[in-house]
Amino acid sequence: MFGPDYLKEIDFTKYKRIVVAYSGGVDSLVLLHALSLIPECKQKLFALHVNHGLSRNSSSWQNHCEQMCASLGVHFAALETKFSQGKRVSENVMREARYKALLSWTKKEDVLCTGHQKDDHVETIFFRLMRGTGIKGLSGIEQFSQMGGIDLVRPLINFPKKDLQDYARLNKLSWIEDESNEDLSISRNFIRKKILPSLKNQNWPSYLNSLSHLSRKAKEANEILEEVADLDINQCSIDSLNRLSILKIKDLSKVRGLNLLFRWLRLKTDLSISSHLIEEVYKNIIFAKESSDPAVSFGKPGKEGSFQIRRFNGILHHLPLVETSSLNGKEKWSWNLQSPLVLPTGTLSMEPSSGIGLSSVLSQKGILIKARTGGERCKPQGRSKSQKLKKLLQEYKVPPWARDRLPLIYIDNELAAVSDLWVCEEFTAKKNEKGLLLNWSDNLDNI
């Protein structure tokens, strides 16, 4: 039977605060009660209750949780999420809102504990099976993980719900029963109430242990796949993990290439990556024609974890999915050179130089920043003739998606420099003349 001593196997001493996500249900209550009986844990134990406001009972549930914490001598805090009462909200949206609220309260030195138990673990595996999960999904709910830089622990994951209910009754604990748990239109409730009990009552009474065994084996298999993928990523990476060699990926078998891509993208985001997305990147990006400029986007512009995958010059690029993809050709920005100029697509700065860079004398006439609109020409220093900007950007191997993000530097209405790529010859600092070295930092490189 479950007891507080089992929780002592987890090292809580390294954390400043132990934060329990306390809904008021039996699972989180048992976790909170058991931790409160461990002296070294109780003094830094906090209960966080997230009030979604979706039920007419929300206020009474919050009051119940606060009173229970008072009786246990545990710190209590209530957090709110903004939903309209009576409005149908999906499980995923509620989950995201709940964790967002919890993580906004916690700090780096805290640990966040949830009441997930063995039945939840098996339900998750079954739920993912029905949705067509891969090996990683079969691992179920991890006991130890991280979210938003905070350690996340599920101390009860190896205990069936029945053990926790027995513990609660033995200790005469009072818990909340959420009426939404009876709604069979919710997928997890249907699995919990209809499917899994029928397995137990028919030929598979040990289904909990069987699916838990599958979970352990899936986790072991996934660890091997990740080790192989990490080796392949290291072999294919160019300069950084944001760029991979397409030629080297093509040298791998298809299944190994897909495995590499899945691992690569999972390292870049906390959002769920589908096998369909991986197949799309493999087929439509890696094996696209050399002359094409394909792109695969994931998520929403500006949202953390969102990204786009592009290819250029034989390299696969992982880029953030930003809200501003180019400078507005109708806008102009004056730059006084006294401080860096922050533009929608990045930051332009400079440092003093001598004999190189933009002429400091000419720059005193005033600098105006414009966007590329097409048809611009420039003669970089040392060239015999001027060329179209489009041709020069291709020559300098500037990726297509970066070209309209670049700031163009104008003096007296003439193009004087293009970002930090080059200075047009007539605006270059002469020998021993004071100059300005330009530096362009694109937002795509800093997210």
Side-chain angles (χ1 to χ4, degrees), residues 14 32-33 45 85 102 122 152 257 328 391 405-406 411:
K14 58 184 177 180
L32 188 67
H33 182 271
L45 187 59
Q85 193 174 97
L102 292 169
V122 168
L152 184 58
N328 187 336
K391 196 81 172 178
R405 299 176 61 83
L406 296 173
I411 296 176

Side-chain angles (χ1 to χ4, degrees), residues 22 29 32-34 36-37 42 67-74 173:
Y22 178 38
L29 172 60
L32 188 67
H33 182 271
S36 73
L37 296 179
K42 184 175 182 178
Q67 291 171 13
M68 179 59 71
C69 289
S71 68
L72 297 176
V74 171
L173 300 178

Side-chain angles (χ1 to χ4, degrees), residues 325-340:
S325 60
S326 62
L327 287 177
N328 187 336
K330 296 180 180 180
E331 288 193 64
K332 300 176 183 179
W333 297 267
S334 295
W335 189 23
N336 60 16
L337 301 177
Q338 299 302 310
S339 59

